[in-house]
Amino acid sequence: MRDLGRKALDVSPGEVRLAREVSVDLYHARSLAQRILDARAPVEDLDLNGVTIDQLSADLLPGWYDEWALLEAERWRQLRLHALEKLAGELIDAEQFAAAVTAAHTAVQADPLRESSQASLIRAHLAEGNLAEALDHFDRYARRLRSELGLRPTQRLRRLVAELRQSHPGGGYIQ
């Protein structure tokens, strides 16, 4: 190993482990996600300079198919999706719409068929007053859901855009 590798590991006759000085980004990201999900932590207490959402955007061990890796990856995926969705809602409440859209969009990218993430993004667009984007996003999701799974959005999601549909009859929304 080169110098950097030697500094990152503590090697003894019986074991190899990370050196105490080594920081693991997953530990920091999990801690952030748990703080977001903590009902007692207001959004203002979080560092929202863009790093927050970036920390929650990456998959864990993509391309690894060992059972332990798949379980850990799924555990992380669920935690970060819940955190991103909650963060988007809190950012909407704080009227930080650009960050709310980014958080919700990050969740949608992680799982495009997850309805709760789609609802977060549609809510963010509606809160910002971007009605056309909300409708367009809903329509694209409905088409994808139908073509890939033969399903339609739930009544709960359809209610988000129902009022807009009534004021614009003849829109392209898939029933």
Side-chain angles (χ1 to χ4, degrees), residues 34-128:
Q34 289 164 342
R35 282 194 329 266
I36 291 168
L37 292 170
D38 183 350
R40 298 165 297 179
V43 71
E44 299 83 29
D45 291 349
L46 299 170
D47 179 17
L48 297 176
N49 61 6
V51 174
T52 298
I53 294 169
D54 288 346
Q55 286 178 316
L56 300 174
S57 67
D59 290 332
L60 177 63
L61 302 172
W64 286 45
Y65 301 104
D66 296 319
E67 187 66 25
W68 71 269
L70 292 172
L71 290 172
E72 283 302 311
E74 179 59 17
R75 186 172 148 225
W76 167 239
R77 188 180 78 81
Q78 288 295 325
L79 178 63
R80 73 188 175 105
L81 288 172
H82 283 101
L84 285 163
E85 291 167 3
K86 182 172 186 228
L87 181 60
E90 290 187 10
L91 290 165
I92 289 167
D93 292 345
E95 297 183 1
Q96 296 181 34
F97 302 122
V101 168
T102 300
H105 193 265
T106 301
V108 166
Q109 283 181 310
D111 189 345
L113 296 175
R114 182 180 171 105
E115 187 163 309
S116 54
S117 295
Q118 298 287 341
S120 292
L121 184 55
I122 291 167
R123 277 190 205 99
H125 286 311
L126 290 171
E128 194 171 23

Side-chain angles (χ1 to χ4, degrees), residues 122-175:
I122 291 167
R123 277 190 205 99
H125 286 311
L126 290 171
E128 194 171 23
N130 293 323
L131 308 182
E133 282 188 78
L135 283 173
D136 182 58
H137 189 79
F138 175 86
D139 288 341
R140 282 185 282 134
Y141 173 65
R143 281 192 299 276
R144 184 172 190 176
L145 194 61
R146 168 113 17 183
S147 75
E148 291 187 27
L149 299 177
L151 298 173
R152 55 186 269 194
T154 64
Q155 183 64 32
R156 191 179 104 213
L157 187 62
R158 290 193 311 264
R159 272 194 298 262
L160 271 179
V161 296
E163 190 175 310
L164 295 173
R165 286 280 172 222
Q166 290 171 355
S167 64
H168 295 84
Y173 143 66
I174 296 174
Q175 298 267 339

Side-chain angles (χ1 to χ4, degrees), residues 3-10 17-22:
D3 289 337
L4 187 57
R6 283 189 207 125
K7 291 178 184 176
L9 298 175
D10 279 337
R17 64 181 173 182
L18 289 176
R20 294 188 195 282
E21 306 81 45
V22 173

